[in-house]
Amino acid sequence: MDIILSISVYIIAAILLGFTFGWFIAKAIFKEKFEEQVEALSTNYDANKSSIDTQSQKQVNEITALKNEIQNLKKQHEQEVDAFLEERIDITQKYKELLDKVSA
């Protein structure tokens, strides 16, 4: 009976030691894999961030160019409208002058 009890204690101790060492080994392996994945993700993040920053800067430049083009078109339109109005005012004044000459 004493032998069975000591064998059982040794088996339980071996199972506990095996579980403990297995857990430590698994933890070390998974930690290493986890760190590799984190490093790969951070490398990808940096590359993507650089790409996004470049694209963002291009879009900012395009938007600025479009805003400038819109402002130039507005100025051109205003100038054309002003020229049209001046021409109409001139025509109206000449017409009035002709009417005054005919009436007089």
Side-chain angles (χ1 to χ4, degrees), residues 39-100:
E39 186 174 332
L41 287 174
S42 71
T43 302
N44 287 339
Y45 172 77
D46 292 340
N48 288 337
K49 185 175 186 267
S50 169
S51 173
I52 288 171
D53 288 345
T54 303
Q55 290 175 356
S56 174
Q57 188 59 41
K58 285 180 184 177
Q59 288 177 346
V60 165
N61 292 340
E62 289 176 6
I63 289 171
T64 303
L66 288 173
K67 283 182 178 179
N68 291 337
E69 186 177 344
I70 288 170
Q71 287 177 348
N72 290 337
L73 288 172
K74 282 182 179 180
K75 286 178 185 177
Q76 182 181 359
H77 176 70
E78 288 175 5
Q79 290 172 350
E80 290 175 0
V81 167
D82 288 344
F84 176 78
L85 290 176
E86 286 178 21
E87 182 181 343
R88 293 298 167 235
I89 290 170
D90 252 1
I91 291 172
T92 305
Q93 285 177 347
K94 287 179 183 177
Y95 180 71
K96 183 180 178 198
E97 289 173 3
L98 285 174
L99 280 177
D100 289 344

